[in-house]
Amino acid sequence: MAAVLACGTNAALSHQSAAELWGIRSPRGSRIEGSVPIERKPRIREVRVHRRRVFTETDSTLRHGIPVTGPARTLTDLATRLWAPELEAAINQADKLDLIRPDLLRAALEEMRGQDGVRLLRRLLDRRTFRLTDSELERRFLGLIRSARLPRPETRKLVNGFRVDFHWPDLGLIVETDGLRYHRTPAQQARDRRRDQAHTAAGLTTLRFTHAQVYFEPDEVQAILARVLSRLSVRRAAS
């Protein structure tokens, strides 16, 4: 807080420091980063200062009493330095924390058109390529689907009272990706079985792929998906 105030009026935490304060990026132990209007030239040893041509009061807010760039501005700043998977993870985390939804982020980008990071972030948010998921495992699975040119599923939908990872409603197919963290205990595995049984009772086909399969056997996962989707497509055409 003191470091930001030392930068003067309209200063705010930004970039990695802002992302840490919002909880959308893990601490990196790096120097504090702050932003100020371009006419300001503060020199604070503890702060890496970013001088902006466009930086108004609407670009910042308060969190825990600390001036900080808003979620949309913070994600735009991150877009200038993160790889796409890292940036996508930050977007998902911001949504999970109810900081900003992807549709509202797209709208905010229109107000920042032409500024650094906007074009990269908009490209990632394109509705044809971005699907909101809960984990890196699910994001990798979507990459397998794209590379295999398989039909794109819906994600994070409620089906038979359960939130599913991936759903092809026209084909009656559900795919769940079981990460290492959430499917270890007998109780968790029992819940998975009840989910699968509910879907089977409703006439749906459910596939589960493990962490190891998605990461280390992508060709086999793609082949299984392609065969199942082909079989379901033929069944649908014949019905």
Side-chain angles (χ1 to χ4, degrees):
M1 177 66 169
V4 177
L5 294 177
C7 292
T9 307
N10 293 337
L13 278 184
S14 64
H15 296 76
Q16 173 67 26
S17 296
E20 291 177 14
L21 185 61
W22 286 113
I24 60 178
R25 289 277 288 169
S26 299
R28 293 293 187 270
S30 55
R31 196 165 149 203
I32 295 173
E33 294 186 83
S35 289
V36 298
I38 195 169
E39 63 271 13
R40 303 284 314 289
K41 296 182 180 180
R43 287 183 172 83
I44 311 297
R45 182 185 302 176
E46 298 84 2
V47 182
R48 179 184 175 186
V49 176
H50 300 271
R51 298 169 61 228
R52 301 180 185 266
R53 292 186 180 279
V54 181
F55 192 67
T56 65
E57 292 183 2
T58 59
D59 290 312
S60 64
T61 185
L62 291 177
R63 182 166 177 80
H64 306 315
I66 301 173
V68 60
T69 51
R73 171 64 69 180
T74 300
L75 287 167
T76 304
D77 290 337
L78 292 178
T80 65
R81 59 173 62 171
L82 298 183
W83 294 104
E86 296 176 307
L87 182 58
E88 190 171 340
I91 295 168
N92 282 334
Q93 185 66 9
D95 179 78
K96 188 182 297 184
L97 294 173
D98 292 325
L99 299 177
I100 188 166
R101 300 197 314 266
D103 57 326
L104 296 180
L105 179 55
R106 286 189 186 90
L109 293 180
E110 293 301 315
E111 302 296 323
M112 295 186 280
R113 185 174 300 193
Q115 298 179 40
D116 291 344
V118 169
R119 187 167 56 129
L120 293 170
L121 190 53
R122 184 185 291 118
R123 184 184 306 161
L124 185 61
L125 282 168
D126 190 293
R127 292 183 187 276
R128 293 170 299 175
T129 59
F130 180 82
R131 291 293 184 277
L132 195 65
T133 57
D134 283 333
S135 68
E136 181 183 356
L137 180 60
E138 291 177 4
R139 289 193 294 275
R140 183 168 293 230
F141 183 81
L142 279 177
L144 297 182
I145 292 171
R146 285 194 293 268
S147 63
R149 298 187 178 182
L150 297 172
R152 187 177 300 280
E154 296 180 348
T155 61
R156 297 180 68 186
K157 296 294 184 179
L158 282 175
V159 181
N160 298 318
F162 297 96
R163 188 174 295 279
V164 302
D165 292 340
F166 304 98
H167 183 212
W168 285 262
D170 291 343
L171 299 176
L173 174 63
I174 290 170
V175 169
E176 302 281 10
T177 50
D178 294 348
L180 295 177
R181 180 179 178 187
Y182 298 105
H183 301 269
R184 287 178 174 172
T185 70
Q188 291 165 337
Q189 293 170 5
R191 284 196 295 270
D192 288 341
R193 290 190 180 95
R194 285 195 294 272
R195 291 159 59 99
D196 293 348
Q197 290 162 2
H199 298 323
T200 300
L204 304 179
T205 299
T206 300
L207 290 176
R208 285 188 177 273
F209 294 107
T210 66
H211 176 278
Q213 283 180 293
V214 175
Y215 268 76
F216 302 115
E217 302 170 5
D219 292 342
E220 181 179 352
V221 171
Q222 288 175 329
I224 292 171
L225 269 175
R227 290 199 299 271
V228 172
L229 286 168
S230 176
R231 176 174 58 81
L232 292 175
S233 296
V234 171
R235 180 189 297 174
R236 180 190 176 201
S239 62

